[in-house]
Amino acid sequence: MGARAASLTHLLRSTPVRQALALVAVVALANLLSLGGAYLTLRADLARSIRADLDAELASFDLSATPAALSAIVRARARAADPAKTITVFLAADGRQVGNARATLEGSDIHLGPGDQPLGAAGYLHEARPLAGGLLIVAESLAPIAELRRTFLSLLAFSLGPTVLISLGVGVLIARRTARRVDGIEATLNRLSAGDLSARLPPDQAPADDLSRIGAGVNRLAARQQAATEALRQVTADIAHDLRTPLQRISVLLQDLRARLPDEGDPAELADRASAEVDRAVSVFRAMLEIAQIEGGQASARFQPFDLGLTVRQVVELYQPSVEDAGHRLSLSSPETGPTIRGEPSLIAQALANLVENALRHTPEGRRIDIAVSADPPALSVADDGPGVPDGERDKVLRRLYRLERSRTTPGHGLGLSLVAAIAGLHGARLTLEDNGPGLRVRLAFPQAEGNVTGSSDPTR
């Protein structure tokens, strides 16, 4: 029920549906105005006709008649008329009255009431004229106007109702189809924004229109962006691959040179520094190649369901001695089994290793490194209580070769978090950097895998 209500709300908020509803409202208003105008015109004509009949009726009486003669005439006409349709009443000067109804004067107002027979329920239109020393009143029922109103209400119900319903139904169908196309464009743009440059809109079967042109433009833009990105990745990989071999040869030559130099002296120190810089360059190119291979997606062919908690525990056991030797404290909170995710265990282990090494590199001695695995949703987090990363820098540290100003004097090449981001993207995981108050918390939230295994959240260390 909640999902259906949310879907209906989303549909009603869409521009095509709102346009359809506005169009239906315009059609309904136009019909209502046209029928209302026709009704008011006919009603006025009918009222004028009734008043003309009343004037003719009054004119038919003899103006020179005596009160007795006029009373006799009124009595005769009253007996022949149905008071539900026509009323004739004469009020004599002495207060007596004859006719087929009762008339009451309240100032200048005349009120008609039933006599021997009931009156009509629709009301009356009346005219009065002083005659023979008294007041002659004639009235005609407004039943024709009431019948006209009922007729127009029926016409409104049987014409406007189906028109609105049919227009609304067709409009909503068209709007839903348009809304689905708009949702498809929006979903494709969201995938492109999230980094999935392979996202494309399917071929549009509808006749060419604005949405078709927009969809084709989105596909062309995505194709150019993907081609440019792939070319950049390929150039990066080619440069890293072509330069790695010469650098390795330079490293070998420097080692050979160092072996021929005395252990002490400036030449030996210079050779050691040059060898260290070459090793650093080799590690940079190796990391760039690794990122390029991961972003290429080849590793996804080896994806399989595996126990995230088990993989994390193995990495923690491997790093526990070196972390303690460095004067830090490492803790792990994980379910006994699971959660199960789909991916490449070695890549997840490498991402965790990079996060641990990053925490070791940037936190002072004696600080904590807390690793946590959660099952719902499957997630892995690494937190420390070091200096952390400023809010404005958290997106930047995921870029390749980007380093904080305070980190430029520490070992590293600025590709550790970039490699983690590449592994997260390959696994469809959401990577977030959060404030640990103090320190930094890096969290990887993975998609839920079918048949996920969960256990109790009992810390293992």
Side-chain angles (χ1 to χ4, degrees), residues 3 7 51 395 413:
S7 176
R51 195 168 294 278
D395 289 336
H413 42 61

Side-chain angles (χ1 to χ4, degrees), residues 249-333:
R249 291 174 180 171
I250 293 174
S251 178
V252 172
L253 292 174
L254 286 173
Q255 291 175 4
D256 186 36
L257 175 62
R258 178 65 181 85
R260 300 182 183 186
L261 293 174
D263 292 339
E264 302 294 337
D266 292 340
E269 181 182 354
L270 187 61
D272 289 338
R273 289 170 56 190
S275 181
E277 290 297 328
V278 170
D279 291 342
R280 180 176 179 275
V282 170
S283 67
V284 169
F285 286 117
R286 183 182 297 113
M288 291 177 65
L289 276 175
E290 196 167 3
I291 291 175
Q293 292 171 353
I294 291 173
E295 290 179 339
Q298 293 89 348
S300 61
R302 304 192 301 272
F303 275 16
Q304 60 182 345
F306 71 95
D307 190 324
L308 176 63
L310 177 60
T311 300
V312 171
R313 285 192 292 273
Q314 291 173 346
V315 174
V316 169
E317 290 174 0
L318 179 65
Y319 271 88
Q320 188 78 40
S322 59
V323 170
E324 292 177 353
D325 290 343
H328 292 76
R329 290 170 293 167
L330 180 64
S331 67
L332 170 64
S333 175

Side-chain angles (χ1 to χ4, degrees), residues 62-419:
D62 186 0
L63 298 179
S64 62
T66 63
L70 186 57
S71 297
I73 294 172
V74 169
R75 188 177 294 110
R77 292 194 179 188
R79 282 197 298 266
D82 182 3
K85 297 180 179 179
T86 304
I87 292 176
T88 306
V89 177
F90 175 62
L91 295 177
D94 58 3
R96 291 181 299 173
Q97 61 176 283
V98 294
N100 54 358
R102 302 294 298 175
T104 304
L105 296 179
E106 293 182 2
S108 60
D109 295 333
I110 300 174
H111 299 280
L112 299 174
D116 297 335
Q117 300 181 47
L119 302 183
Y124 293 84
L125 186 63
H126 66 271
E127 290 288 345
R129 178 177 299 175
L131 199 62
L135 185 65
L136 178 64
I137 303 170
V138 293
E140 191 166 334
S141 173
L142 295 176
I145 294 180
E147 182 62 29
L148 177 68
R149 183 171 60 252
R150 287 192 293 270
T151 300
F152 266 87
L153 288 176
S154 300
L155 181 63
L156 185 66
F158 286 104
S159 63
L160 183 59
T163 300
V164 169
L165 291 177
I166 292 173
S167 301
L168 184 61
V170 174
V172 168
L173 287 177
I174 296 175
R176 288 187 64 180
R177 183 174 178 275
T178 304
R180 284 196 295 268
R181 296 171 66 190
V182 172
D183 289 343
I185 294 175
E186 184 180 9
T188 302
L189 290 174
N190 289 338
R191 289 175 58 192
L192 292 171
S193 300
D196 182 8
L197 298 182
S198 64
R200 296 291 186 276
L201 284 165
D204 202 337
Q205 304 298 327
D209 56 9
D210 294 344
L211 291 180
S212 299
R213 292 193 295 272
I214 291 174
V218 169
N219 284 346
R220 288 194 300 271
L221 178 63
R224 287 196 294 267
Q225 184 69 23
Q226 185 179 25
T229 303
E230 291 297 334
L232 180 61
R233 288 176 179 173
Q234 187 61 43
V235 168
T236 302
D238 291 344
I239 292 175
H241 184 273
D242 291 343
L243 290 181
R244 187 175 62 173
T245 299
L247 287 173
Q248 288 175 338
R249 291 174 180 171
I250 293 174
S251 178
V252 172
L253 292 174
L254 286 173
Q255 291 175 4
D256 186 36
L257 175 62
R258 178 65 181 85
R260 300 182 183 186
L261 293 174
D263 292 339
E264 302 294 337
D266 292 340
E269 181 182 354
L270 187 61
D272 289 338
R273 289 170 56 190
S275 181
E277 290 297 328
V278 170
D279 291 342
R280 180 176 179 275
V282 170
S283 67
V284 169
F285 286 117
R286 183 182 297 113
M288 291 177 65
L289 276 175
E290 196 167 3
I291 291 175
Q293 292 171 353
I294 291 173
E295 290 179 339
Q298 293 89 348
S300 61
R302 304 192 301 272
F303 275 16
Q304 60 182 345
F306 71 95
D307 190 324
L308 176 63
L310 177 60
T311 300
V312 171
R313 285 192 292 273
Q314 291 173 346
V315 174
V316 169
E317 290 174 0
L318 179 65
Y319 271 88
Q320 188 78 40
S322 59
V323 170
E324 292 177 353
D325 290 343
H328 292 76
R329 290 170 293 167
L330 180 64
S331 67
L332 170 64
S333 175
S334 172
E336 294 179 357
T337 58
T340 298
I341 65 172
R342 182 173 178 80
E344 171 57 54
S346 62
L347 290 179
I348 299 299
Q350 184 174 2
L352 177 57
N354 278 24
L355 293 176
V356 172
E357 291 177 359
N358 187 72
L360 288 173
R361 187 178 299 116
H362 297 292
T363 56
E365 183 177 349
R367 298 299 178 94
R368 290 177 55 87
I369 300 175
D370 299 319
I371 301 175
V373 177
S374 60
D376 189 18
L380 164 65
S381 67
V382 177
D384 61 65
D385 55 356
V389 177
D391 289 344
E393 301 283 339
R394 289 176 186 169
D395 289 336
K396 297 179 182 179
V397 296
L398 299 178
R399 300 176 187 173
R400 299 177 190 181
L401 304 177
Y402 184 86
R403 306 189 72 192
L404 295 175
E405 190 63 33
R406 65 169 182 262
S407 303
R408 296 189 180 277
T409 57
T410 61
H413 42 61
L415 289 172
L417 289 178
S418 299
L419 182 60

